[in-house]
Amino acid sequence: MTKTLFAAAALAAAIALPAQAAEPVRIGMITTLSGGGASLGIDTRDGFMLAVKMKGGRLGGAETAIDIVDDARKVGNAKQIATRMLQQDDVDVITGIVWSNLALAVVPAVTGADKFYLSTNAAPSHLAGKGCHPNYFAVSYQNDNLDEAAGYHVNAKGYDNVYLIAPNYPAGRDHLNGFKRYYKGGLAGEVYTKLGQVDYAAEIANLRAAKPDAVFIFLPGGMGINFTKQYAQAGLVERIPLFGPAFSFSQDILGAVGDAALGVFNTAQWSPDLDIPANKAFVTAFQAEYGRLPSLYASQGYDTALLLDSAIAKVGGDLSDKAAFRSALKAAEFETVRGKFSFGSNHHPVQDVYMRKVVKVNGTITNEVVEKVFSIHQDAYAADCGM
Amino acid sequence: MTWLLFAEQTLNGLQQGVMLFLMAAGLTLVFGIMSLLNLAHGSLYMVGAYVTATVTQASGSFGLGVLAGMAAAALAGGLIELIALRRLYARDHLDQVLATFGLILFFNELVKILWGPQALFLSTPEILSGTVDLAGTPYPAYRLFIIAVGLLVALGLRVLIVNTRVGMLIRAGSTHREMVGALGVDIARLYTIIFAVGAMLAGLAGALAGPMLAIQVGMGENILILTFVVIIVGGIGSVRGALVGALLVGTVDTFGRAFLPMALRAVMDPSAADTVGASIAGMSIYILMAAVLMIRPRGLFQAYGGT
């Protein structure tokens, strides 16, 4: 599979310009294509490859070789693949990792080898602050951005007795801290559940007894599906509004939650209905290519490929001048599906964040923008970054 | 904490326990009677959930979906017993772990190929989608339904094992395998039947879980670990032990999650109480298991005759 894609991209490039002798730009994508959470990696890949296809298989007009490898969501696999890509394949850029724990293991190895890493999703606080690096760019967001927007919105709407739920692991605490950074009201409860928990009956009963006026959850992947379905079964969606970052309510998950998700509020830097020409073109092309609506992860993969395209074009396909390529990336002169996008000093996005609501349009459950929460918002860690 | 909340959490514990029982009943029979350590039991749960979701969506009937899910799980169970596991009875437990772990990987990939990587959707049947008013507390009707089904299955299994000929053979086969064979009973066929019945119950658990949980690849692994705790607490091979163990594990887990952080808040500051409470709640069932094993090393109920 990876070999085929590799060959296909190389072939497409070869047909287009057979005479060029220059070294191709080599891109390694490590992402999760099997096991739990595979839908996130698949959307990342599909969004990325859609942009590559739209550029005729040549990013920045240069011959492009893309090697896509499955990490099965395992840290060991990701590290091993990265090592091979860096030492044997001599890739110029690595991208695609979905999970923060995998990114924390791989990114330092990539930047340490003086190669570039572009994050299509995971952006843990360490890499935005003290652990920032000139060769590391987060194209998606900084992990806390979406929680901060939710906290700000809930605060602005006058809720003052909010119930918080997250899994009991470091990222769970990070996300709740992000929320609390902008939320100033009281807490009806702050509950940490087991990572990967499937049944939330006990938590929901306690929650109802605590009588909060809003609930904020950070429960990514299957945990969010489980919680939301059970929250709706307990008849609570209409009575106590449910908020969260987009991870539990992205397009890849909504189909599995069904009507139970209707009316849930979630924050993201992108939405399929954002009224921006570049976004409209992206959503239409994605649907035509894959027959489904794109998710947040697909939009991030797509933007990452477009950013690469712009930077490679700027340096004329020659990535040997690292400084020139770096400043070409930093300039971020590409047509993002989010409208506005620039990199802050720590190479993390400075962008708008929206509040979205889950709705049903023509029988399809999807997200719709309710309002813009933050205009050109920057993360809280930029000051800790020494760049 | 009010009395009502306590009652509600007890129901939640009961419901979780009943789900675990459906899984544990099959696993404990296979492990206790056939001495086969089957890690792929969770895969049968997944098969049940996927087939139920697909058939329910196609036919519009949840009842039909559940029956199809049970049949598919029984069929898958019977097939893996005939094709693969039959060769493993005489082998070491470690070989069985290796082979059945392989089956987990096989089923995960198979399900991904057939249904794709995205989680599947199964709605709560209309009639059970509301809440029932229990003394002022709205309780999900669907969870009450699960409790009822689980208790019915427990009753049915008891009748099967105590009052029927197959049940008699199951009991006899567990303690005197050679003798039963010498009397002309086809032990191999009996084992296939036991395995298929266990698989069918796992399929039922998966089917019932569908409307509450994410139907996704790997969903069986989570519940499998809890199921092993249940059969160790209950006593390997004993269906009665599986029921008591499941209810105990379900209740302890639910109460731990519901009340431990609250109780700890009385003795330490809130944020520390939440952290420590959540961590201890996650361990509570293992603490229970350790305590049971200390007092009764072979579980609460020993299997018939105890092999």
Side-chain angles (χ1 to χ4, degrees), chain A residues 33-36 38-39 42-43 168 173 190 192-194 196-203 205-206 208-209 222 225-226 229-230 233-235 239 251-252 255-259 292, chain B residues 5 8-9 12 15-16 109 112 117-122 124 129-131 137-138 140 142-143 210-214 216-217 222 226 253-254 257-259 262 265 274-275 278-279 282:
Chain A
L33 302 174
S34 67
S39 62
I42 286 167
D43 269 15
N168 191 21
R173 284 163 208 291
E190 181 174 350
Y192 292 99
T193 59
K194 206 162 67 192
Q197 185 166 317
V198 290
D199 195 296
Y200 290 91
E203 286 75 11
N206 274 357
R208 190 196 300 111
I225 301 177
N226 297 339
K229 283 176 112 170
Q230 293 161 25
Q233 273 173 359
R239 300 193 3 224
Q251 198 63 46
D252 55 305
V257 186
D259 288 355
R292 61 178 198 269
Chain B
L5 182 60
E8 191 185 354
Q9 298 291 22
N12 286 336
Q15 183 263 319
Q16 200 193 351
E109 281 312 302
K112 210 185 97 188
Q118 299 209 344
L120 235 58
F121 171 67
L122 179 56
T124 321
S129 64
T131 55
T137 305
Y142 188 71
R143 288 186 189 268
M212 290 195 301
L213 309 182
Q216 58 184 358
V217 173
N222 254 318
L226 287 179
D253 185 47
T254 301
R257 276 154 48 205
F259 299 130
M262 231 183 268
R265 271 166 182 257
D274 288 342
T275 315
S279 303

Coordinates of all heavy atoms in Angstrom, one line a residue, chain A residues 33-36 38-39 42-43 168 173 190 192-194 196-203 205-206 208-209 222 225-226 229-230 233-235 239 251-252 255-259 292, chain B residues 5 8-9 12 15-16 109 112 117-122 124 129-131 137-138 140 142-143 210-214 216-217 222 226 253-254 257-259 262 265 274-275 278-279 282:
Chain A
L33 N -3.4 4.2 10.8 CA -4.3 3.7 9.8 C -5.0 2.4 10.2 O -5.8 1.9 9.5 CB -3.5 3.5 8.5 CG -2.9 4.8 7.9 CD1 -2.0 4.5 6.7 CD2 -3.9 5.8 7.6
S34 N -4.6 1.8 11.3 CA -5.2 0.6 11.8 C -5.4 0.6 13.2 O -4.8 1.4 14.0 CB -4.3 -0.6 11.4 OG -3.1 -0.6 12.1
G35 N -6.3 -0.3 13.7 CA -6.6 -0.3 15.1 C -7.5 0.8 15.6 O -8.1 1.6 14.8
G36 N -7.6 1.0 16.9 CA -8.4 2.1 17.5 C -7.9 3.5 17.0 O -6.7 3.7 17.0
A38 N -8.1 4.7 14.0 CA -7.6 4.7 12.7 C -8.4 5.8 11.8 O -7.8 6.3 10.9 CB -7.8 3.3 12.0
S39 N -9.6 6.1 12.2 CA -10.4 7.0 11.3 C -9.7 8.4 11.3 O -9.8 9.1 10.3 CB -11.8 7.1 11.8 OG -11.9 7.6 13.1
I42 N -6.7 8.1 8.9 CA -7.2 8.0 7.5 C -7.7 9.3 7.0 O -7.4 9.7 5.8 CB -8.3 6.9 7.5 CG1 -7.6 5.5 7.6 CG2 -9.1 7.0 6.2 CD1 -8.6 4.4 7.9
D43 N -8.4 10.1 7.8 CA -8.8 11.4 7.4 C -7.7 12.4 7.2 O -7.7 13.1 6.2 CB -9.8 12.0 8.4 CG -11.3 11.6 8.1 OD1 -11.5 10.7 7.3 OD2 -12.2 12.3 8.6
N168 N -8.3 10.5 33.2 CA -7.2 10.7 34.2 C -5.8 10.4 33.6 O -5.2 9.4 33.9 CB -7.5 9.7 35.4 CG -6.7 10.1 36.6 OD1 -6.2 11.2 36.7 ND2 -6.5 9.1 37.5
R173 N -5.7 16.5 32.0 CA -5.5 17.7 32.9 C -5.2 19.0 32.1 O -5.7 20.1 32.3 CB -4.4 17.4 33.9 CG -4.8 16.5 35.0 CD -3.7 15.9 35.7 NE -4.1 14.6 36.2 CZ -5.0 14.5 37.2 NH1 -5.5 15.6 37.8 NH2 -5.5 13.4 37.6
E190 N -15.3 18.5 39.2 CA -14.2 18.3 38.3 C -13.8 16.8 38.4 O -13.2 16.4 39.4 CB -13.0 19.2 38.6 CG -11.9 19.0 37.6 CD -10.8 20.1 37.9 OE1 -11.0 21.0 38.7 OE2 -9.7 19.9 37.3
Y192 N -12.2 13.1 37.0 CA -11.2 12.4 36.1 C -11.6 11.0 36.1 O -11.7 10.3 37.1 CB -9.8 12.6 36.6 CG -9.4 14.1 36.5 CD1 -9.4 14.9 37.6 CD2 -9.0 14.6 35.2 CE1 -9.0 16.3 37.4 CE2 -8.6 15.9 35.1 CZ -8.6 16.7 36.2 OH -8.3 18.0 36.0
T193 N -11.9 10.5 34.9 CA -12.3 9.1 34.7 C -11.2 8.3 34.1 O -10.2 8.8 33.7 CB -13.5 9.0 33.7 OG1 -13.1 9.6 32.5 CG2 -14.7 9.8 34.3
K194 N -11.4 7.0 34.1 CA -10.3 6.1 33.6 C -10.2 6.3 32.1 O -11.1 6.4 31.4 CB -10.7 4.6 34.0 CG -9.5 3.7 34.1 CD -9.9 2.4 34.8 CE -10.9 1.6 34.0 NZ -11.6 0.6 34.6
G196 N -10.0 5.4 28.5 CA -10.7 4.3 27.7 C -11.9 3.8 28.4 O -12.4 2.8 28.0
Q197 N -12.5 4.5 29.4 CA -13.7 4.1 30.0 C -14.8 4.0 29.0 O -15.0 4.8 28.1 CB -14.0 5.0 31.2 CG -15.2 4.6 32.0 CD -15.3 5.4 33.3 OE1 -14.3 5.6 33.9 NE2 -16.5 5.8 33.7
V198 N -15.7 3.0 29.2 CA -16.8 2.8 28.2 C -18.2 3.2 28.8 O -19.1 3.6 28.1 CB -16.9 1.4 27.6 CG1 -15.7 1.2 26.7 CG2 -16.9 0.4 28.7
D199 N -18.3 3.0 30.1 CA -19.6 3.2 30.7 C -19.6 4.4 31.7 O -18.7 4.4 32.6 CB -20.1 2.0 31.5 CG -21.6 2.1 31.8 OD1 -22.0 3.0 32.5 OD2 -22.4 1.3 31.2
Y200 N -20.4 5.4 31.4 CA -20.4 6.6 32.2 C -21.6 6.8 33.1 O -21.9 7.9 33.5 CB -20.2 7.8 31.3 CG -18.8 7.9 30.7 CD1 -18.5 7.3 29.5 CD2 -17.7 8.5 31.4 CE1 -17.3 7.3 28.9 CE2 -16.5 8.5 30.9 CZ -16.2 7.9 29.6 OH -15.0 7.9 29.1
A201 N -22.3 5.7 33.4 CA -23.6 5.8 34.1 C -23.3 6.4 35.5 O -24.1 7.3 35.9 CB -24.2 4.4 34.3
A202 N -22.3 6.0 36.2 CA -22.0 6.5 37.5 C -21.7 8.0 37.5 O -22.2 8.8 38.3 CB -20.9 5.8 38.2
E203 N -20.9 8.4 36.5 CA -20.5 9.8 36.4 C -21.7 10.7 36.0 O -21.9 11.8 36.6 CB -19.5 10.0 35.3 CG -18.1 9.5 35.7 CD -17.9 8.0 35.7 OE1 -18.8 7.3 35.2 OE2 -16.9 7.5 36.3
A205 N -24.9 10.1 36.7 CA -25.8 10.2 37.9 C -25.3 11.2 38.9 O -26.1 12.1 39.4 CB -26.0 8.8 38.5
N206 N -24.0 11.2 39.1 CA -23.4 12.2 40.0 C -23.5 13.6 39.5 O -23.8 14.5 40.2 CB -21.9 11.9 40.2 CG -21.7 10.9 41.3 OD1 -22.6 10.5 42.0 ND2 -20.4 10.5 41.5
R208 N -25.8 14.7 37.4 CA -27.2 15.3 37.5 C -27.5 15.7 39.0 O -28.1 16.7 39.2 CB -28.2 14.2 37.1 CG -29.6 14.8 37.0 CD -30.7 13.8 37.0 NE -30.7 12.9 35.9 CZ -30.5 11.6 36.0 NH1 -30.2 11.1 37.2 NH2 -30.5 10.8 35.0
A209 N -26.9 14.9 39.9 CA -27.2 15.3 41.3 C -26.5 16.6 41.7 O -26.9 17.3 42.6 CB -26.7 14.2 42.2
G222 N -13.5 7.2 21.1 CA -14.7 6.3 21.5 C -15.3 6.8 22.8 O -16.5 6.7 23.0
I225 N -17.9 9.3 22.2 CA -19.1 8.6 21.6 C -20.0 8.0 22.7 O -21.2 8.2 22.8 CB -18.7 7.5 20.6 CG1 -17.9 8.1 19.4 CG2 -20.0 6.8 20.0 CD1 -17.4 7.1 18.4
N226 N -19.3 7.2 23.6 CA -20.0 6.6 24.7 C -20.7 7.6 25.6 O -21.8 7.4 25.9 CB -19.0 5.7 25.5 CG -18.3 4.6 24.7 OD1 -18.9 4.2 23.7 ND2 -17.2 4.2 25.1
K229 N -23.7 9.4 23.9 CA -24.9 8.6 23.7 C -25.6 8.4 25.1 O -26.8 8.5 25.2 CB -24.5 7.2 23.2 CG -24.2 7.2 21.7 CD -23.7 5.9 21.2 CE -24.7 5.2 20.3 NZ -24.2 4.0 19.7
Q230 N -24.8 8.1 26.1 CA -25.4 7.9 27.4 C -26.0 9.1 28.1 O -27.0 9.1 28.8 CB -24.3 7.2 28.3 CG -24.0 5.8 27.8 CD -22.7 5.3 28.4 OE1 -22.2 5.7 29.5 NE2 -22.0 4.4 27.7
Q233 N -29.3 9.5 26.5 CA -30.2 8.5 27.0 C -30.7 8.9 28.4 O -31.8 8.5 28.7 CB -29.5 7.1 27.1 CG -29.6 6.3 25.8 CD -28.8 5.0 25.8 OE1 -28.2 4.7 26.8 NE2 -28.8 4.3 24.7
A234 N -29.9 9.6 29.1 CA -30.3 10.0 30.4 C -31.2 11.3 30.3 O -31.6 11.8 31.3 CB -29.1 10.3 31.3
G235 N -31.5 11.7 29.1 CA -32.4 12.8 28.9 C -31.8 14.1 29.3 O -32.5 15.0 29.7
R239 N -31.5 19.6 28.8 CA -31.6 20.2 30.1 C -30.3 20.9 30.5 O -30.3 22.0 31.1 CB -32.1 19.2 31.1 CG -33.5 18.7 30.7 CD -34.3 18.0 31.7 NE -33.7 17.9 33.1 CZ -33.7 16.7 33.7 NH1 -34.2 15.6 33.2 NH2 -33.3 16.7 34.9
Q251 N -16.5 15.2 12.4 CA -17.3 14.5 11.4 C -17.1 13.0 11.4 O -18.0 12.2 11.2 CB -17.0 15.1 10.0 CG -18.0 14.7 9.0 CD -19.4 15.3 9.3 OE1 -19.5 16.5 9.7 NE2 -20.5 14.5 9.3
D252 N -15.8 12.6 11.8 CA -15.5 11.1 11.7 C -16.3 10.4 12.8 O -16.4 9.2 12.8 CB -14.0 10.9 11.9 CG -13.4 11.6 13.1 OD1 -13.7 12.8 13.2 OD2 -12.8 10.9 13.9
G255 N -21.3 10.3 12.9 CA -22.1 9.2 12.4 C -22.4 8.1 13.4 O -23.4 7.6 13.5
A256 N -21.4 7.9 14.3 CA -21.5 6.8 15.3 C -22.3 7.3 16.5 O -22.9 6.5 17.2 CB -20.1 6.4 15.8
V257 N -22.4 8.6 16.7 CA -23.1 9.1 17.9 C -24.6 9.3 17.5 O -25.5 9.1 18.3 CB -22.6 10.5 18.4 CG1 -23.3 10.9 19.6 CG2 -21.1 10.4 18.6
G258 N -24.8 9.6 16.2 CA -26.2 9.8 15.8 C -26.9 11.0 16.3 O -26.3 11.9 16.7
D259 N -28.2 10.9 16.4 CA -29.0 12.0 16.9 C -28.7 12.5 18.3 O -29.0 13.6 18.7 CB -30.5 11.7 16.8 CG -31.0 11.6 15.4 OD1 -30.2 12.0 14.5 OD2 -32.2 11.3 15.2
R292 N -17.7 11.3 1.4 CA -18.1 11.7 2.7 C -17.7 13.1 3.1 O -16.8 13.7 2.4 CB -17.5 10.7 3.7 CG -16.0 10.7 3.8 CD -15.4 9.7 4.8 NE -14.0 10.0 5.2 CZ -13.0 9.5 4.6 NH1 -13.1 8.7 3.6 NH2 -11.8 9.8 5.0
Chain B
L5 N -29.7 9.1 45.1 CA -28.5 9.0 44.3 C -27.8 7.6 44.6 O -27.4 6.9 43.7 CB -27.5 10.1 44.6 CG -26.2 10.1 43.8 CD1 -26.5 10.2 42.3 CD2 -25.2 11.2 44.3
E8 N -29.8 5.1 42.7 CA -29.5 5.1 41.3 C -28.2 4.5 41.0 O -28.1 3.8 40.0 CB -29.5 6.6 40.9 CG -29.5 6.7 39.4 CD -29.4 8.2 38.9 OE1 -29.5 9.1 39.7 OE2 -29.3 8.4 37.7
Q9 N -27.2 4.8 41.8 CA -25.9 4.2 41.5 C -25.9 2.7 41.7 O -25.2 2.0 41.1 CB -24.8 4.8 42.4 CG -24.6 6.3 42.2 CD -24.0 6.7 40.9 OE1 -24.0 5.9 39.9 NE2 -23.4 7.9 40.8
N12 N -27.1 1.4 38.6 CA -26.0 1.5 37.6 C -25.0 0.3 37.8 O -24.5 -0.3 36.8 CB -25.2 2.8 37.7 CG -26.0 3.9 37.1 OD1 -26.9 3.7 36.3 ND2 -25.8 5.1 37.6
Q15 N -26.6 -2.9 36.6 CA -26.6 -2.9 35.1 C -25.2 -3.3 34.5 O -25.1 -4.1 33.6 CB -27.1 -1.6 34.6 CG -27.2 -1.5 33.1 CD -26.0 -0.9 32.4 OE1 -25.5 0.1 32.9 NE2 -25.6 -1.5 31.3
Q16 N -24.2 -2.6 35.1 CA -22.8 -3.0 34.6 C -22.5 -4.4 34.9 O -21.9 -5.1 34.1 CB -21.8 -2.0 35.3 CG -20.5 -2.0 34.5 CD -19.4 -1.3 35.3 OE1 -19.7 -0.8 36.4 NE2 -18.2 -1.4 34.9
E109 N -8.9 -6.9 12.2 CA -8.6 -6.5 10.8 C -9.8 -6.9 9.9 O -10.2 -6.1 9.0 CB -7.3 -7.1 10.3 CG -6.0 -6.4 10.8 CD -6.1 -4.9 10.6 OE1 -6.2 -4.4 9.5 OE2 -6.0 -4.2 11.6
K112 N -12.4 -4.4 10.3 CA -12.1 -3.2 9.6 C -12.2 -3.3 8.1 O -12.7 -2.3 7.4 CB -10.6 -2.8 10.0 CG -10.4 -1.3 10.0 CD -9.0 -0.9 10.2 CE -8.3 -0.7 8.9 NZ -6.8 -0.5 9.0
P117 N -13.0 1.7 9.1 CA -12.4 2.0 10.4 C -13.3 3.0 11.2 O -13.1 3.1 12.4 CB -11.1 2.8 10.0 CG -11.5 3.4 8.7 CD -12.4 2.4 8.0
Q118 N -14.3 3.6 10.6 CA -15.1 4.5 11.4 C -16.1 3.8 12.3 O -16.6 2.7 11.9 CB -15.9 5.4 10.5 CG -14.9 6.3 9.6 CD -15.5 7.6 9.2 OE1 -16.7 7.8 9.3 NE2 -14.6 8.5 8.8
A119 N -16.3 4.3 13.5 CA -17.3 3.7 14.4 C -18.7 3.6 13.8 O -19.1 4.5 13.1 CB -17.3 4.5 15.7
L120 N -19.4 2.6 14.2 CA -20.7 2.3 13.6 C -21.8 2.9 14.6 O -21.5 3.1 15.7 CB -21.0 0.8 13.5 CG -21.4 0.3 12.1 CD1 -20.3 0.7 11.1 CD2 -21.5 -1.2 12.2
F121 N -22.9 3.2 14.0 CA -24.0 3.8 14.8 C -25.1 2.8 15.0 O -25.5 2.1 14.1 CB -24.5 5.0 14.1 CG -25.8 5.6 14.8 CD1 -25.7 6.1 16.0 CD2 -27.0 5.5 14.1 CE1 -26.8 6.6 16.7 CE2 -28.1 6.0 14.7 CZ -28.1 6.5 16.0
L122 N -25.7 2.7 16.2 CA -26.9 1.9 16.5 C -27.7 2.8 17.5 O -27.2 3.1 18.5 CB -26.5 0.6 17.1 CG -27.6 -0.3 17.5 CD1 -28.5 -0.7 16.3 CD2 -27.1 -1.6 18.1
T124 N -30.9 3.7 20.0 CA -31.7 3.0 21.0 C -33.0 2.8 20.4 O -33.6 3.7 19.8 CB -31.8 3.9 22.3 OG1 -30.6 4.6 22.5 CG2 -32.2 3.2 23.5
S129 N -36.1 4.4 24.4 CA -35.1 5.6 24.3 C -35.4 6.6 25.4 O -34.5 7.5 25.7 CB -35.2 6.2 23.0 OG -36.5 6.8 22.8
G130 N -36.5 6.6 26.1 CA -36.8 7.6 27.1 C -36.3 7.2 28.5 O -35.4 6.4 28.6
T131 N -36.8 8.0 29.5 CA -36.3 7.7 30.8 C -37.6 7.2 31.6 O -38.7 7.6 31.3 CB -35.7 8.9 31.5 OG1 -36.6 10.0 31.4 CG2 -34.4 9.3 30.8
T137 N -36.3 10.5 40.1 CA -35.1 10.5 39.4 C -35.3 9.8 38.0 O -35.8 8.7 38.0 CB -34.0 9.7 40.1 OG1 -33.9 10.3 41.4 CG2 -32.7 9.7 39.4
P138 N -35.1 10.6 36.9 CA -35.2 9.9 35.6 C -34.1 8.9 35.4 O -33.0 9.3 35.4 CB -35.2 11.1 34.6 CG -34.4 12.2 35.4 CD -34.5 11.9 36.8
P140 N -32.6 6.0 32.6 CA -32.7 5.5 31.3 C -33.4 4.2 31.2 O -33.0 3.2 31.8 CB -31.3 5.4 30.8 CG -30.5 6.2 31.7 CD -31.2 6.2 33.0
Y142 N -33.5 2.1 28.8 CA -32.7 1.1 28.2 C -31.8 0.3 29.2 O -31.7 -0.9 29.0 CB -31.8 1.7 27.1 CG -31.1 0.7 26.2 CD1 -31.9 -0.1 25.3 CD2 -29.8 0.4 26.4 CE1 -31.3 -1.1 24.6 CE2 -29.2 -0.5 25.6 CZ -29.9 -1.3 24.7 OH -29.3 -2.3 24.0
R143 N -31.4 1.0 30.2 CA -30.5 0.3 31.2 C -31.4 -0.6 32.0 O -30.9 -1.7 32.4 CB -29.8 1.4 32.1 CG -28.7 2.1 31.4 CD -27.9 3.0 32.3 NE -27.0 3.8 31.5 CZ -25.7 3.5 31.3 NH1 -25.2 2.4 31.7 NH2 -24.9 4.3 30.6
G210 N -24.5 -2.1 22.1 CA -24.5 -1.2 20.9 C -25.1 0.1 21.0 O -24.5 1.2 20.7
P211 N -26.3 0.2 21.5 CA -27.0 1.5 21.6 C -26.3 2.5 22.7 O -26.6 3.7 22.6 CB -28.4 1.2 22.1 CG -28.6 -0.2 21.6 CD -27.3 -0.9 21.7
M212 N -25.5 1.9 23.6 CA -24.9 2.8 24.6 C -23.5 3.2 24.3 O -23.0 4.2 24.7 CB -24.9 2.0 25.9 CG -26.2 1.8 26.6 SD -26.0 1.3 28.3 CE -25.1 -0.1 28.1
L213 N -22.8 2.3 23.5 CA -21.4 2.5 23.3 C -21.0 2.7 21.9 O -21.8 2.5 21.0 CB -20.6 1.2 23.8 CG -21.0 0.7 25.2 CD1 -20.1 -0.5 25.5 CD2 -20.8 1.8 26.3
A214 N -19.7 3.1 21.7 CA -19.2 3.2 20.4 C -18.9 1.8 19.8 O -18.3 1.0 20.4 CB -17.9 4.0 20.4
Q216 N -16.9 0.0 17.7 CA -15.7 0.2 16.9 C -14.7 -0.9 17.1 O -14.8 -1.8 18.0 CB -15.0 1.5 17.4 CG -14.7 1.5 18.9 CD -14.2 2.9 19.4 OE1 -14.0 3.8 18.6 NE2 -13.9 3.0 20.6
V217 N -13.7 -0.9 16.2 CA -12.7 -2.0 16.2 C -12.0 -2.0 17.5 O -11.6 -0.9 18.0 CB -11.7 -1.8 15.0 CG1 -10.6 -2.7 15.2 CG2 -12.4 -1.9 13.7
N222 N -11.5 -4.0 26.0 CA -11.8 -3.3 27.2 C -12.6 -4.1 28.2 O -12.2 -4.3 29.4 CB -12.7 -2.1 26.9 CG -11.9 -0.8 27.1 OD1 -11.1 -0.7 28.0 ND2 -12.0 0.1 26.1
L226 N -12.1 -6.8 32.3 CA -13.0 -6.9 33.4 C -13.6 -8.2 33.5 O -13.9 -8.7 34.7 CB -14.1 -5.8 33.2 CG -13.8 -4.4 33.4 CD1 -15.0 -3.5 33.1 CD2 -13.3 -4.1 34.8
D253 N -17.1 -1.3 41.2 CA -16.5 -0.4 40.2 C -17.4 0.9 40.2 O -16.9 2.0 40.2 CB -16.4 -1.0 38.8 CG -15.8 -0.1 37.8 OD1 -14.7 0.4 38.2 OD2 -16.3 0.1 36.7
T254 N -18.7 0.7 40.1 CA -19.6 1.9 40.1 C -19.5 2.7 41.3 O -19.4 4.0 41.3 CB -21.0 1.4 39.8 OG1 -21.1 0.7 38.6 CG2 -22.0 2.6 39.7
R257 N -16.2 4.7 41.5 CA -16.2 5.9 40.7 C -17.1 6.9 41.2 O -16.8 8.1 41.2 CB -16.6 5.5 39.3 CG -15.5 5.0 38.4 CD -15.9 4.0 37.3 NE -17.1 4.6 36.6 CZ -18.0 3.9 35.9 NH1 -17.9 2.6 35.9 NH2 -18.9 4.5 35.3
A258 N -18.3 6.5 41.8 CA -19.3 7.5 42.2 C -19.0 8.1 43.5 O -19.2 9.3 43.7 CB -20.6 6.8 42.2
F259 N -18.5 7.3 44.4 CA -18.5 7.9 45.8 C -17.1 8.0 46.4 O -16.9 8.8 47.4 CB -19.3 7.0 46.7 CG -20.7 6.9 46.3 CD1 -21.4 5.6 46.2 CD2 -21.5 8.0 46.1 CE1 -22.7 5.6 45.8 CE2 -22.8 8.0 45.7 CZ -23.4 6.7 45.5
M262 N -15.9 11.6 46.4 CA -16.7 12.4 47.3 C -16.3 12.1 48.8 O -16.2 13.0 49.6 CB -18.2 11.9 47.1 CG -19.2 13.0 46.9 SD -20.8 12.3 46.8 CE -20.9 12.1 45.0
R265 N -13.1 13.7 49.8 CA -13.1 15.1 50.0 C -13.3 15.5 51.5 O -13.0 16.6 51.9 CB -14.3 15.7 49.2 CG -13.9 16.1 47.8 CD -15.1 16.4 47.0 NE -14.8 16.7 45.6 CZ -14.8 18.0 45.2 NH1 -15.2 19.0 45.9 NH2 -14.4 18.2 43.9
D274 N -10.0 14.5 44.3 CA -10.4 14.1 43.0 C -9.4 13.2 42.3 O -9.7 12.2 41.7 CB -10.7 15.3 42.1 CG -11.9 16.0 42.5 OD1 -12.7 15.4 43.3 OD2 -12.1 17.2 42.2
T275 N -8.1 13.6 42.4 CA -7.0 12.9 41.8 C -6.9 11.5 42.4 O -6.9 10.5 41.7 CB -5.7 13.7 41.9 OG1 -6.0 15.0 41.6 CG2 -4.7 13.1 41.0
A278 N -10.0 9.3 41.9 CA -10.1 8.7 40.5 C -9.1 7.6 40.4 O -9.4 6.6 39.8 CB -9.8 9.8 39.5
S279 N -7.9 7.7 40.9 CA -6.9 6.7 40.8 C -7.3 5.4 41.5 O -7.2 4.3 41.0 CB -5.5 7.2 41.3 OG -5.2 8.3 40.6
G282 N -10.1 3.5 39.9 CA -9.7 2.7 38.8 C -9.1 1.4 39.2 O -9.1 0.4 38.5

